C-alpha cells in the first residue's frame, strides 16, 4: 500500500525513475566486441599450427574462455588489485585520479578498473574526457550485472592492445614469446600485463628500459605480497625482454587457407 500511495502522489518522479531503469537495463550492447578475428588452427594438444591475420590487419585471435593464472594474477596486481571487490568502479582510485588531474590541469591518471577498461576497449578508446568517463562508469556497473568477474577478465585479455598490430593475450604470447599463454613464465606474464598500459610507447624493441622498469616493479610487488618467492623473483628479473615479434607458425598452410575460405563462405 505504501508503494502504491507513493506512486499516486509522485507520478512524474515514478515515470522518470522507470525510464532511467529501462535505459540502464538496455544501455549495454548485447555484443561488446564485433571486430574480425584471425583464422587460427591448433592441434589436439592446443599447439598453434597456423594463423591468418584478421581482415582489419590485426593479429587478433578468437576470444578465449579462460585466462592463465600467472597472467591473470599479474594483470590484477598491476591494473586493479581490488578487482574482485568493487562493483565496476573504485571510488578511491577515482578520487585520487581526479585530485591528480586537477592539480596537473589535464588528464594524467585514469583511475579505471579492469571493467571500465573493457568498456573503453569496446568503445574504441574514445577521448578521455570526464563525460566519457561517466559513461564508462555507468556501462561498467551494467557489465558487472551481466558478466562474471572471470568473463570480464577474458574480455580484457582478448581485446587489449599489445603494441603494433597485436591485439589480445594469445596473439601477444605467440608474437613475442613464440609459445601459448599458459606456458609463459612469471617474467613473461608480467611483461605482457604491463604492455597495454602504454602499447604505443613501450613494446618489444622500443623503450626497453621503461618496459623493464615497469615489469620489474610489478615482479617486486608480487614478491612483497608473497605471490612469488625470492628465488623466483631473482630469476625473473634476470630474464631478457623480447626484442622483436616472432613469425607465427605456418605448419599447415593449405589447411589454413581451406578453413579460412569456408569461414568466409559461411558469413
Amino acid at each position: 500500500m505504501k508503494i502504491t500511495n507513493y506512486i499516486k502522489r509522485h507520478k512524474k518522479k515514478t515515470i522518470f525513475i522507470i525510464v532511467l531503469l529501462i535505459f540502464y537495463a538496455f544501455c549495454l550492447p548485447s555484443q561488446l566486441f564485433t571486430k574480425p578475428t584471425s583464422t587460427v588452427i591448433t592441434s589436439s594438444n592446443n599447439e598453434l599450427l597456423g594463423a591468418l591475420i584478421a581482415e582489419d590487419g590485426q593479429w587478433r585471435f578468437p576470444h578465449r574462455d579462460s585466462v592463465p593464472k600467472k597472467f591473470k594474477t599479474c594483470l590484477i596486481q598491476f591494473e586493479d588489485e581490488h578487482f574482485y571487490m568493487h562493483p565496476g568502479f573504485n571510488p578511491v582510485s577515482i578520487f585520487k585520479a581526479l585530485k591528480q588531474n586537477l592539480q596537473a590541469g589535464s588528464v594524467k591518471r585514469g583511475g579505471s578498473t579492469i571493467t571500465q577498461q573493457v568498456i573503453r576497449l569496446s568503445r574504441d578508446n574514445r577521448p578521455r574526457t570526464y563525460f566519457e568517463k561517466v559513461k564508462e562508469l555507468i556501462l561498467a556497473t551494467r557489465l558487472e550485472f551481466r558478466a562474471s568477474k572471470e568473463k570480464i577478465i577474458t574480455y580484457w585479455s582478448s581485446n587489449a592492445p599489445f603494441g603494433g598490430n597485436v591485439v589480445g593475450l594469445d596473439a601477444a604470447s605467440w608474437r613475442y614469446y613464440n609459445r601459448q599463454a599458459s606456458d609463459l613464465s612469471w617474467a613473461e606474464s608480467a611483461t605482457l600485463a604491463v604492455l597495454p598500459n602504454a602499447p604505443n610507447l613501450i613494446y618489444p624493441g622500443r623503450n626497453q628500459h621503461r618496459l623493464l622498469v615497469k615489469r620489474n616493479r610489478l615482479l617486486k610487488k608480487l614478491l612483497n605480497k608473497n605471490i612469488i618467492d625470492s628465488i623466483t623473483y631473482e630469476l625473473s628479473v634476470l630474464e631478457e625482454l623480447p626484442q622483436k615479434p616472432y613469425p607465427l607458425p605456418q605448419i599447415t598452410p593449405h589447411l589454413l587457407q581451406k578453413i579460412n575460405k569456408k569461414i568466409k563462405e559461411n558469413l
Side-chain angles (χ1 to χ4, degrees):
M1 288 295 292
K2 289 184 178 180
I3 296 176
T4 304
N5 291 333
Y6 178 86
I7 293 174
K8 289 180 179 179
R9 291 198 307 269
H10 305 279
K11 289 183 179 180
K12 290 184 178 180
K13 187 183 292 186
T14 301
I15 292 173
F16 179 70
I17 292 173
I18 291 174
V19 170
L20 280 182
L21 290 174
I22 292 174
F23 171 77
Y24 183 72
F26 294 97
C27 66
L28 194 67
S30 57
Q31 191 172 353
L32 286 180
F33 299 95
T34 58
K35 290 184 177 179
T37 58
S38 302
T39 299
V40 177
I41 55 174
T42 58
S43 65
S44 57
N45 61 349
N46 208 33
E47 284 296 321
L48 183 64
L49 299 179
L52 288 177
I53 200 166
E55 291 182 357
D56 61 353
Q58 303 294 305
W59 286 111
R60 185 188 299 106
F61 282 24
H63 290 188
R64 55 166 41 248
D65 297 324
S66 61
V67 179
K69 184 177 180 180
K70 288 179 183 176
F71 179 80
K72 179 166 63 175
T73 300
C74 289
L75 172 63
I76 290 173
Q77 290 302 317
F78 181 72
E79 290 285 359
D80 186 3
E81 58 184 310
H82 301 293
F83 175 68
Y84 287 105
M85 294 178 279
H86 63 64
F89 67 96
N90 187 330
V92 176
S93 295
I94 291 175
F95 175 77
K96 288 181 178 179
L98 182 61
K99 182 179 179 181
Q100 184 176 329
N101 293 339
L102 289 174
Q103 290 174 343
S106 61
V107 179
K108 297 292 185 181
R109 175 175 174 176
S112 297
T113 63
I114 288 174
T115 313
Q116 287 173 277
Q117 291 177 34
V118 167
I119 295 299
R120 187 185 310 137
L121 290 169
S122 72
R123 291 166 61 80
D124 290 329
N125 289 305
R126 299 190 184 189
R128 297 175 67 182
T129 62
Y130 287 114
F131 180 64
E132 183 63 28
K133 294 290 290 184
V134 171
K135 288 194 288 186
E136 286 176 5
L137 189 151
I138 294 171
L139 292 171
T141 60
R142 183 66 186 87
L143 180 58
E144 290 275 349
F145 278 113
R146 178 197 291 181
S148 67
K149 291 287 188 179
E150 301 307 315
K151 182 65 175 178
I152 292 170
I153 286 283
T154 65
Y155 280 141
W156 192 100
S157 299
S158 296
N159 295 281
F162 285 84
N165 65 343
V166 180
V167 178
L169 174 61
D170 287 323
S173 180
W174 281 103
R175 290 290 279 162
Y176 296 142
Y177 292 108
N178 199 32
R179 64 176 70 92
Q180 57 189 355
S182 58
D183 293 335
L184 296 177
S185 67
W186 278 107
E188 293 165 346
S189 297
T191 301
L192 294 187
V194 305
L195 268 181
N197 186 252
N200 295 322
L201 179 64
I202 52 171
Y203 62 90
R206 177 187 292 181
N207 292 326
Q208 294 285 280
H209 177 69
R210 296 182 67 174
L211 179 56
L212 186 66
V213 169
K214 281 180 173 286
R215 184 201 71 176
N216 289 350
R217 188 184 298 138
L218 175 55
L219 289 169
K220 186 68 172 180
K221 185 176 183 180
L222 297 180
L223 172 66
N224 292 338
K225 290 199 167 190
N226 296 316
I227 295 173
I228 60 176
D229 57 36
S230 58
I231 295 177
T232 301
Y233 170 75
E234 294 295 339
L235 293 175
S236 295
V237 296
L238 293 176
E239 288 191 32
E240 294 184 357
L241 295 174
Q243 298 301 309
K244 60 181 181 179
Y246 286 91
L248 292 177
Q250 298 294 336
I251 300 173
T252 56
H254 297 297
L255 177 60
L256 182 62
Q257 292 292 343
K258 184 178 180 180
I259 293 175
N260 187 56
K261 183 179 179 181
K262 284 187 176 181
I263 291 174
K264 289 183 176 181
E265 289 174 351
N266 293 329
L267 290 178

